[in-house]
Structure formats: structure tokens, C-alpha cells
Amino acid sequence: MLPSTAEAQRNPPEDPEPTDTDVVIVGAGPTGLMLAAELRLAGARPLVLERRTEPKEVAKANGLGGHILDLLAYRGLLDRLEAAGNHPRHPALRYPFGTLQVDLTNVPEPPLRGLSLPQPKLERILAEHARELGTEIRRGHEVLGVSQHDNGVNVRVRGPHGQLYQATARFLVGCDGPRSRVRELVGIPFPGTTYAEVNRLAHVTLTDSVTELDNGDLEVSGLGLVHPGFTRTEHGVFALGRRSFGDLMIQTTEAEPADVDDDDSPMTLDELKDSIRRVLGAPLPIAAATRLSRYGFQARQVDQYRHGRILLAGDAAHVFPATGVGLNVGMLDAVNLAWKLAADIHGWAPARLLDTYHSERHYAGARTMMQTQAQVALRRGQDPAAQALRQVLQELLADEQPARRVGALIAGTDLRYPMPGTDPHPMAGTCVPNLSLRTESGPTSVAQLMHSARPVLLDLADRKDLREVATAWRDRVEIHTAETDARPTDALLIRPDAQIAWAAAVDEPADTATTALHDALTNWFGSPLT
């Protein structure tokens, strides 16, 4: 049995005994930690194994953006993350898209939101959250071998002092990044492309010799005016933007072999200055840097996210050739997968439920791959035809509807999973909106109902007929009756990942609504109580 969280923190196992648990998670990044917390909410026992002894202090990402912010709000975590970042989530009014700008400044209720929070802080909060729920996280524990059988998985592990032990579990999930050891051990191909370019990113302050004009331009001796956004030269691309914290974010992109490893050879300020000089043709006077990182771009996605009892999530399953989307997609993988694993562990999962993890999240990953590879085409094209394409698309993005469409595509809020059944409601397969609700117990919201990560039947029209159908699933589905302004449907069946599994149209007849609800409950949540 696993030791308690308090015991594990006081006395980390120096010579672990063979360990038996429900799910072994390999990797303590945002995806693995989110998966661990979601599994605990669903009543399953995860064990997290992380090869590194300490969390990385260099920020791989500046923050979170897109649909994952909605899910974090639905779990009651967003306030905690906002407090750590000292800034609330905010509309991303200008967002880069392949060296273009998606300008949402004049778009009502922009579809894309962001939260400034360096990745080390994000991982620390997610680890605290997972431990508070009872997760054991073992750092300095490296996976050496993996095998599976009909009823579970065996994992050979080397601890921080060289000791070897075995962990057994019902399932194993590789959340261990683009160079996934799990993927390598299982022999899962990772097809795709590595682009021959290196990106160098920094948060900097400039010397007093640089003058910032009212329009955001920089006046630099030897360079003249440097404009915000992207400056393309024959030697690469230079990007400039001001962060909400007051300093500048700058980036260079150069065509060169992309075998870069920021872990083994961290970027230096001198390397950044040399890159700027090559791209712009003259130096940029930098006073200090608070972040320095270097990365390449790949476009890769595994063909199957599930291999029996071994599954992949996050960067182990996909890497995208653009920034700002990897955390969003990886953490959403975790939320989608956790309740399905737990359903299988608890014995009520319907047939093929776990297979929908692959079908849904591979589809989501493929859409993200589509838009990020479109960014590659916009970013890398150098001839006049490519410049004409960028100009045409930038003009289109000046209109509200195209800007809103691309913003939703980046955020992942336009996603609709295919749903079973004939002619499902238009809301089925989408994320449930955070409706304000009135109940007999007082005001609440959809977000508050989702804190426990349980399935919910939300009756918005006092439909006793629908509540009676759902009663047979009362051991695993919460039933709530509420009112809301301008109700979009009579009732919603909401999965733990906040996706709408079924919806009844307003005033839908009882004979069709009850039959469809029974089918949806059976399809997603198994056989009813006998």
C-alpha cells in the first residue's frame, strides 16, 4: 500500500518496497500533475515518478492560455493560480500567429484568454494540489523498464540512491515529455518533422541609450527604429513585445540545425546578443535579462494514444511547432483521461470508454497540429508569394469574424467531439458554459457544480421525467435542478471533463428525451443500478 502523503513528505522512501497502485504516472510536469489530481478526485490511487530530483527553475512557458483556464476554474483552482501570478486571467487581445498578429482588441468577449504564470510556479501549485488530495510524488525515480499483461503493468524503477524496485499498477501513463522514456521503452513511433530553426527567447530590460516612443517603437543607435511585433530580415526574424510586468520579451529565429538542449547547455546572454546582431545587423543594448531560453520546433504526434494498459499524454503524445498551446492541450489530455481510467478501475466503465480517450484527444491534437503547421508556413516562407500570403491573411484578420475564428482555434474553445446517437443536440460534444444558476439552496454556477469532478445531470426546466431516468445512475451521477436566464436547453448531461454528453432541446417531448438520456447515460457511465 502507498504511504500517506504526510508520511511520504516526512520520510521519503530511501529503499522502496514493491509498490502496488492504480495508476503509475511517469513525469511530474503540468500534464502528469494535473492527471494525478484528477485521478484522486475520481477516487483512484496514482503514483507519480519523476526522473529529476528537483523541479526545473527555468521557465519553459510564461503562462497558460485557452480552454484549460475554463477547466481550472471549474476545479476551483484558478483563483489560486491567479494569486501566484499576481495577475487575473485576461483577454489575450493581441496574439502571435506565424509572425502575424491576431488582434482581438475590438472583439466583444474575446475567445482567447491568458494567465501570466511562469511554469515553475504552475508546477509547484499543481504539485501542492495533487499532494493535498493524497498523491505521492517520488522525485529522482527513473523508469528503467515497462511490461504489461491482461490485468496490469509492471514498472522497473531506479530510486535516487541507485536502489531498484518494482511498481505494479492497473495502468501506466507516460507524461514524460517529447523525449518520453515510456514511449521509447514501449517502442511507440513518434512520426513527424523537426524544423531546422532555433528560437532564442528572453525577458529583458534595455539600457538608457534606447528611447521608447509613445507608439511602442524603440529608437536604437545603429538600428534606427525597431517596431513591436515581427521584423523579418534575410538572416531571420526578430520579435519584440512588452510584457504586462513592464519588461520586454524578445525573440530571434534563425535557420540552423535544431538539435538544441536547453537542459544540458542553457542559453547565455552573450549567445542571445550574438543572435540579435546576426538577425538585425547591429547590437541591441540589453541591460539585464530575467529569462533566457532556447528551443527548436517539431511537429509530431503518435498514431495511437493508447497501447493496452499504457497510455500517453501531453508532450509524450504530441509536440507542436508553435508556442502557447502545448500546456493547454497536454493538461486537457489529462482531464479527459482521468475519469475514464477511474471508471475502469471502479468497474463501471462501459465497453470502449477508454478508447474514446484516443479518439477524442487525437482529434484535438490533430486540430492543434493543423493550426500550428499553418503558422510554420506563414513563419518560414521567404519568397514574394509567402509575403503576399501573410499580407492577405493579416487583412482578413482585421475583421471580427475571422479574428474570432482564429482566436477560438488557438484557444481550443471551438472544439466539438463527435458524439454517438442520431442527430445530437448542437451543444453535445462541446464544453459546458459557466451558467449562473438559481437553486432552492441559493445561487450557484456550473463551475461550482464541477469542483468535485463528477458527472452531473443539470435539469434547467424542472423535468421530473428526466430526473427519474437518471436516478438509476445516482451512485455515479449527481442530479441538480436549477433555473438560469434564457436557458439554452431543458437539461444537460455533463461529463467530469466538463464536456456535454447529451442535451435536451427546450420543450423536447418526454418520449424522445427520456430515451436519448437513458442511452447517453449507458454509453458514458455504464449499466444502471439493479
Side-chain angles (χ1 to χ4, degrees), residues 300-322:
R300 299 186 182 278
Q301 186 178 23
V302 296
D303 292 332
Q304 285 289 328
Y305 284 20
R306 181 187 180 193
H307 293 258
R309 292 185 173 274
I310 299 171
L311 304 101
L312 299 175
D315 288 351
H318 45 66
V319 290
F320 306 113

Side-chain angles (χ1 to χ4, degrees), residues 223-280:
L223 284 174
L225 292 179
V226 180
H227 306 294
F230 298 92
T231 300
R232 183 179 296 272
T233 76
E234 60 180 316
H235 301 292
V237 178
F238 176 82
L240 169 70
R242 182 163 293 283
R243 303 174 69 227
S244 57
F245 299 100
D247 58 357
L248 296 173
M249 182 168 68
I250 60 175
Q251 178 177 303
T252 62
T253 301
E254 297 180 87
E256 56 183 290
D259 187 15
V260 296
D261 191 334
D262 220 29
D263 292 338
D264 296 337
S265 177
M267 189 177 78
T268 65
L269 183 56
D270 285 342
E271 180 183 337
L272 173 69
K273 290 179 177 179
D274 289 343
S275 179
I276 294 171
R277 186 182 295 107
R278 288 192 298 268
V279 172
L280 293 180

Side-chain angles (χ1 to χ4, degrees), residues 369-419:
M369 190 67 73
M370 175 190 69
Q371 61 98 347
T372 53
Q373 286 189 309
Q375 293 190 52
V376 171
L378 292 168
R379 187 174 69 237
R380 290 175 61 84
Q382 299 290 348
D383 61 8
Q387 181 56 36
L389 175 63
R390 285 189 286 267
Q391 184 174 345
V392 168
L393 186 55
Q394 190 67 79
E395 290 182 10
L396 288 173
L397 290 174
D399 295 337
E400 178 182 331
Q401 188 56 38
R404 180 180 292 279
R405 181 77 176 266
V406 173
L409 181 62
I410 297 169
T413 53
D414 68 333
L415 186 68
R416 184 187 182 191
Y417 294 139
M419 287 285 120

Side-chain angles (χ1 to χ4, degrees), residues 398-462:
D399 295 337
E400 178 182 331
Q401 188 56 38
R404 180 180 292 279
R405 181 77 176 266
V406 173
L409 181 62
I410 297 169
T413 53
D414 68 333
L415 186 68
R416 184 187 182 191
Y417 294 139
M419 287 285 120
T422 58
D423 194 24
H425 191 280
M427 292 183 72
T430 67
C431 181
V432 62
N434 187 19
L435 303 172
S436 296
L437 305 174
R438 298 181 296 275
T439 72
E440 291 182 353
S441 303
T444 186
S445 66
V446 166
Q448 289 177 291
L449 298 184
M450 299 305 300
H451 282 189
S452 63
R454 285 172 55 81
V456 169
L457 176 69
L458 179 57
D459 176 8
L460 297 172
D462 197 15

